[in-house]
Structure formats: C-alpha cells, structure tokens
Amino acid sequence: MQRSTRLKRELQMLTTEPPPGISCWQSDDQIDDLRAQIVGGGNTPFEGGLFSLEVNVPERYPFEPPKIRFLTPIYHPNIDNAGRICLDALKLPPKGAWRPSLNISTVLTSIQLLMAEPNPDDPLMADISSEFKYNKKVYLEKARSWTEKHAVQRNYGQVKSGEKAPEVLSKDSSRKREPLKEQPQESKRVCL
Amino acid sequence: MMDSQIMTENPLLLPLNKDKTVYDGFITVQERDFRIRISLPPGHQLKQAKLHCCWQLKRLLSGYQPILKQRLHHAPDLVSFILELKTVLELAMRSRPDCQTIPPPQYYSQLITEMQSLGWDKLLFIDSEFRTLKLQGEDSAGRKHILTVKLKPNYPDEAPECVADLPFPFLMSWTPQSTLAHIHGRFLLHLEGLAEFWSALDEIDEQTWVLEPEKPSRADAMRRIAIGNNVSIKVEIDPRHPKMLPDCCLLGAEHVVTPLRTKLNANMHLWNPDCSILQNMRDVLEIEFPSPSTHEKSSLSAECGICYAYRLESAIPDQVCNDPRCGQPFHQVCLYEWLRGLPTSRQSFNVLFGECPYCSKPITVKMAVQKA
C-alpha cells in the first residue's frame, strides 16, 4: 500500500533532483524494477567508468530495504562476483541499518561512497580485501583495469579508425551481467 | 381434519377434485392475495408436489426456490407447508419494497397541485417514479441548499423521508394535512437558523488552510486548521451556538503545542461572542493563521516520513516526533508497521515504544486499528 505512493514520489525526486553522479529510472514500466547508474568517482580506480545497477523494490518497501545489485562487473572488496553489495543500509536491523528514512537515492549515494571507500573489515571478497589492505597498488591496478574493461562507455566518436564499431557494440552487451536470480557460489562470502 | 384446517387457514384455496390432488385459489399474505395451484401426485407425497404461481408470486419467490424445495421435502403435510410458504413470502415481501402497489391517481394529482402552490422553480429534480424530489432552498447569505424528499406511496398519510446536508437530521412534525410547501418552509427555517454557523465555517474555509475534512460538506462542523509546519488545531463548532468557544484540540509536537495550549487556557476569557470564531481564535492563541493568499499548502501539509504521501487512504500524518530538532510527521499505520518489526521496540498494552526512524530519539505509537 505504502510502496506505490512512495515509489512514485521517489521517482519524481530522482528525475527532478538526482544526487550528483547518480541516475535512476524505471525499467519497462514495472514499478518494482528500477535501473540505476553510478559514475565512477574522481581519484578512485573507477574513474571514467559508468556502473549499472539493478534496483529491486520489495513488496514491503519502505519497511524493507531495496535489493540493489551491480550489473557491471566491479573489482571491490565489498562487492561479489554476482554484483551483490555488502552494505549495512541494504539490510534490516538488527544486522543492518535500513530504516524508512533512507531511500533509493540515499542508498545509491552510500554505494557511491562505498566504491570510493571500501570497507575491508567487513569484506565480501576475502582475497580482494586482503589485497586492498596489504597490497593496495595491485588492488588499484586491477580495479582500474576492470573499470577499463567493463565500465568504460565507448562511443562511436572515440573509436579510432581501423577499429570495428559493431564489435564494440557486441562487447557492450557481454560486459554486463544478465539480471538473473541465479545463486552464485557462497564460498567467498564473509560479510554478515 | 386436515382439509378443514386448510380451509380455515386458507379459505380461498380449494380442492378441485374428489381425490384432493389439486388445489387452486389464493393464499393471503400481508393483505395481498396471490393465485396458486398445487398439484399433488396420487399418493399425496409432498416431495413430488408441483406449484404453479401467478407472475407476482413468481417474481417475489425468485431466489427462494432452494429454500422452498427444502421446506417441501421436510414438511409433514400440506398445511404446514403452506404455512412455511407464507413465512417465506412475508420475508420476500419485506426485502422487496418495490413490489408494493403503485400509488393511486390522487397521489399524482396532489403532488402536482402541491408543486404548483410551492412553485416549480423550487424543484431541482424528480425521479421517473415521482417518488423522490429534490427541492432547492437558499439561506440569507445566498448559499444554495438541497433537500431530498422521498414520498411514501400513501402520501400524505405517511410522512415523507427528508434528507439534507445539515449538521443534524431534518425533522418536522407531520400531519396528513401537511404539504410540500410546509416541508419547504420548515427547510428554509432550518437554513436560516444555520446561516451564522455556515458563515463562520465559510470564513475559516476561505481564510485558512483546512487540512480536514478534505472536501467539507455543509454538514461538517469540524475543521482541522493548519497553524504551522505540522501544527494544527481541530475545532468542533456547535451548529446551534456558532460564536461560542468551540471544542479545540491542538495537534503537533509537544514543544510547539504546549505554549499554544497555555495561551488558549490563559486567554479563554477574552473570547468575544460578538466576533467571528476565526477572529477569536487569532486573539486567544495570539497567532495569525497561514492563509491561501500567503502560504502554499505543500509547506503545511508535510508528508509522512515513511510513505512520502500526505494522505494514506484518508488518514493524514498525525504522529509527530517530539524532538524539536526533528518534528518529522508520520501516519500512525506507517510508524506502527515500522516499529513493530524491530527487535528494539517494546510494547506495553497497546502502545509501542521505539525510535524515530529519522532521529533515533524515543517515539511511541498506539497500535494500529485493524480495519475489517
């Protein structure tokens, strides 16, 4: 009952005053299925990248947090291979910190912050986390190369002569995760 | 013996043959006769009896066939079945008042005479059966009002039903000599008596932001008036004494409401019955009400912090965080729904104690009333 009025209002706010570097919209007229984009922040290994996310709004929203997942692969201690994000605002108390005073816009802003400031003490990807902690140079290089490989939007205008444009287009579809409900391996998950 | 009983209870129903397998005639229910023919098989078993009804009876009994069938199966003899049939019929007639007879011609001629003497300009509407009339009346301030009159078939012997948008039911003493003109005159008297009450409400509606009712009718004596952000006053004006101090209830966060309540109590003696309610409220509360000419309604009707809407069904956000720095409003249903799912919330009787979802300061909410 509360979900529809609230979502309508939130989408309106996201359209008229979106947070900096973030956009969010309804996909295919389905009220509970949103898409979002976060621009990789400056001075981070994600600079120059555009990261797509899937925002699923549960029936009991805003009493339950939105389910948010990265569609664009990202090399980050708190984001796993399936794009799932370890962030307390995305979980209900007592484990998490979701409350109805938060909304899709503020949660996306928190994710943007998490990208810039990983939290290695609550990792989802143990190996990336230890790399971030003890071998930051390697982490930054890998994260940057992942960004370059998966998140950089290549436009026709930037395509150098000799390179084939259609190939770039087909790459575009392959660098995204399909918005599936498949269950990835649980082995590396540490985050609670 | 059974025959004589049938005869005494249904004198119009007669056996048509010597075997007494066919009965024809009338049964009488509520002074109305219905033609019926009952055919029994040679063994007189009631289960296989056949009923032939006149069309009026058929119409009345439509929908009651399963009940009748069941009664037919269980009745020990014809006498008790006919008794059952009459009971069912009585029930059917009561639930179908439209089956009453149409009024006699005098009804219509009288109606036209009465309308002529009242003036056709007063008639706004009449239905195709000439039973429901809508009459128009105007009070001294030029406000238009509508009186709906439902005439009974035996009008004017029976008083018509009158309904109007008034704060109390429209009542008048009725004699068979009364006419539509009497009703209309009485209606105008009612309107005149209420003119001052409606003027007071019109002044409030024009010069303040009324949060409730959303679209007040002439019968509504209650107004919830915005005072400031999330602060409002609910007044219940007495239609008979519209200039007296009304019942007041201040709504909002404690820290804002308390000083207002203190002023209300301290200045109550200043209430001047010669001034309008609005002017008196301004003087007693020592405030100016935000008006449509100075404020946008959106700045006053703050949305619920949980569902982001002002109206949820018909409810408005009436729970406010008492922390002066927060003051976030919520719908009671929304706040309850959130707090009840939290392991940190505590319940005592029907009150939940938890934290404001915005500022984490203590907040309480009464249990949501379950709607049927």
Side-chain angles (χ1 to χ4, degrees):
Chain A
M1 178 168 60
Q2 283 93 340
R3 183 177 75 161
S4 62
T5 57
R6 167 133 175 174
L7 264 182
K8 218 158 68 189
R9 197 54 220 289
E10 280 200 47
L11 285 166
Q12 189 193 337
M13 292 194 307
L14 282 162
T15 315
T16 53
E17 37 199 303
I22 289 170
S23 66
C24 183
W25 65 95
Q26 236 171 319
S27 82
D28 308 330
D29 279 351
Q30 265 195 305
I31 184 129
D32 57 352
D33 192 16
L34 313 182
R35 284 296 127 84
Q37 282 176 337
I38 299 179
V39 177
N43 295 324
T44 73
F46 311 108
E47 192 172 357
L50 183 66
F51 296 84
S52 295
L53 299 99
E54 174 193 72
V55 181
N56 204 274
V57 187
E59 186 69 40
R60 277 191 24 87
Y61 184 78
F63 304 107
E64 274 175 20
K67 295 186 176 76
I68 305 185
R69 198 169 75 96
F70 271 89
L71 293 176
T72 310
I74 179 169
Y75 196 77
H76 192 283
N78 307 101
I79 301 162
D80 75 5
N81 291 332
R84 290 183 299 190
I85 309 157
C86 179
L87 182 67
D88 58 354
L90 291 173
K91 278 171 272 173
L92 268 175
K95 279 184 185 168
W98 168 258
R99 38 171 78 201
S101 53
L102 302 176
N103 57 34
I104 292 167
S105 165
T106 58
V107 168
L108 286 171
T109 310
S110 304
I111 294 172
Q112 193 184 35
L113 242 148
L114 182 73
M115 285 167 72
E117 307 268 344
N119 181 7
D121 299 327
D122 189 18
L124 198 52
M125 306 295 279
D127 40 357
I128 303 180
S129 182
S130 53
E131 202 173 78
F132 175 81
K133 261 186 179 166
Y134 306 114
N135 206 348
K136 199 153 193 175
K137 214 178 140 200
V138 176
Y139 161 76
L140 288 174
E141 241 166 64
K142 278 192 188 169
R144 225 172 271 135
S145 84
W146 275 51
T147 305
E148 183 64 29
K149 193 175 163 197
H150 303 288
V152 174
Q153 215 170 41
R154 271 160 266 236
N155 299 323
Y156 285 111
Q158 291 175 323
V159 175
K160 284 173 189 161
S161 55
E163 230 179 298
K164 282 179 190 169
E167 205 176 38
V168 178
L169 259 184
S170 64
K171 249 185 176 177
D172 177 79
S173 57
S174 68
R175 72 190 154 93
K176 279 192 181 175
R177 293 186 185 97
E178 284 303 306
L180 299 173
K181 300 276 185 271
E182 36 98 26
Q183 293 294 315
Q185 67 277 29
E186 304 277 307
S187 59
K188 285 179 183 169
R189 297 188 65 212
V190 187
C191 173
L192 289 170
Chain B
M1 146 78 200
M2 197 181 98
D3 293 333
S4 64
Q5 212 178 334
I6 290 179
M7 286 285 279
T8 45
E9 284 180 17
N10 309 283
L12 300 175
L13 194 63
L14 295 169
L16 290 193
N17 56 6
K18 213 172 153 192
D19 295 339
K20 292 181 183 138
T21 56
V22 181
Y23 285 84
D24 202 332
F26 296 87
I27 54 168
T28 311
V29 177
Q30 288 184 344
E31 296 172 9
R32 279 180 68 186
D33 298 328
F34 297 97
R35 178 82 189 268
I36 194 164
R37 187 185 180 98
I38 304 166
S39 325
L40 296 166
H44 288 250
Q45 297 100 334
L46 267 181
K47 280 181 196 178
Q48 284 154 46
K50 276 188 180 157
L51 302 179
H52 302 271
C53 311
C54 65
W55 69 267
Q56 289 104 326
L57 195 57
K58 233 181 222 166
R59 200 174 137 205
L60 272 170
L61 290 177
S62 69
Y64 292 90
Q65 282 102 327
I67 300 176
L68 283 178
K69 214 169 203 172
Q70 184 224 339
R71 299 280 154 90
L72 202 58
H73 279 236
H74 290 98
D77 52 47
L78 192 58
V79 186
S80 46
F81 172 70
I82 292 176
L83 199 68
E84 297 269 23
L85 175 65
K86 283 176 159 178
T87 320
V88 171
L89 202 50
E90 222 164 289
L91 206 83
M93 283 168 84
R94 226 174 296 145
S95 62
R96 281 254 204 114
D98 57 305
C99 286
Q100 286 159 346
T101 46
I102 52 165
Q106 294 89 324
Y107 169 92
Y108 300 98
S109 56
Q110 169 146 10
L111 192 59
I112 286 167
T113 324
E114 285 187 16
M115 266 325 296
Q116 252 153 9
S117 68
L118 174 64
W120 287 98
D121 58 319
K122 309 281 193 308
L123 184 72
L124 281 178
F125 165 86
I126 188 157
D127 69 341
S128 55
E129 284 170 0
F130 291 80
R131 290 278 178 81
T132 308
L133 288 78
K134 283 188 199 251
L135 303 178
Q136 181 178 254
E138 204 172 279
D139 65 25
S140 53
R143 284 175 287 253
K144 290 195 166 37
H145 303 269
I146 295 168
L147 177 72
T148 306
V149 184
K150 286 191 174 131
L151 302 174
K152 300 281 152 74
N154 54 351
Y155 175 85
D157 290 336
E158 195 179 341
E161 222 175 88
C162 300
V163 184
D165 192 9
L166 305 173
F168 38 75
F170 179 86
L171 298 171
M172 65 176 291
S173 52
W174 183 260
T175 65
Q177 283 73 46
S178 304
T179 63
L180 287 177
H182 284 114
I183 298 178
H184 193 257
R186 183 87 198 141
F187 182 51
L188 290 182
L189 264 173
H190 266 78
L191 297 183
E192 246 359 271
L194 288 164
E196 219 175 39
F197 163 72
W198 285 320
S199 296
L201 288 173
D202 279 353
E203 189 187 4
I204 291 174
D205 292 344
E206 275 161 29
Q207 299 188 25
T208 69
W209 276 120
V210 171
L211 304 178
E212 261 181 288
E214 200 174 3
K215 287 187 182 99
S217 75
R218 290 285 175 209
D220 287 317
M222 185 277 273
R223 291 294 186 276
R224 179 170 161 181
I225 309 164
I227 294 179
N229 204 358
N230 305 324
V231 187
S232 55
I233 186 166
K234 205 174 106 183
V235 293
E236 189 84 45
I237 296 167
D238 183 352
R240 285 167 224 274
H241 306 100
K243 294 209 158 168
M244 301 306 284
L245 177 69
D247 275 344
C248 296
C249 175
L250 283 153
L251 299 159
E254 277 307 307
H255 65 100
V256 196
V257 162
T258 312
L260 286 171
R261 195 176 291 129
T262 315
K263 272 185 193 149
L264 178 68
N265 290 331
N267 295 340
M268 217 175 255
H269 66 278
L270 295 176
W271 194 275
N272 179 2
D274 296 328
C275 285
S276 73
I277 283 207
L278 188 60
Q279 190 53 51
N280 268 314
M281 284 201 294
R282 284 189 189 118
D283 294 346
V284 167
L285 293 168
E286 297 173 16
I287 51 162
E288 277 299 323
F289 287 95
S291 84
S293 55
T294 60
H295 288 74
E296 290 283 330
K297 192 167 189 182
S298 57
S299 66
L300 300 165
S301 55
E303 299 143 352
C304 166
I306 292 176
C307 72
Y308 285 14
Y310 179 63
R311 272 187 204 279
L312 182 66
E313 305 201 302
S314 63
I316 63 174
D318 53 358
Q319 309 288 312
V320 180
C321 175
N322 272 332
D323 191 273
R325 285 158 300 175
C326 177
Q328 179 66 46
F330 304 100
H331 289 114
Q332 188 233 7
V333 203
C334 295
L335 186 58
Y336 180 77
E337 182 68 18
W338 169 244
L339 290 180
R340 81 183 177 105
L342 292 184
T344 47
S345 299
R346 292 284 169 266
Q347 187 173 350
S348 167
F349 295 100
N350 62 343
V351 180
L352 261 183
F353 296 79
E355 290 174 356
C356 168
Y358 278 71
C359 70
S360 300
K361 291 281 181 319
I363 197 167
T364 58
V365 65
K366 280 208 177 129
M367 224 146 91
V369 184
Q370 291 293 317
K371 273 184 193 160

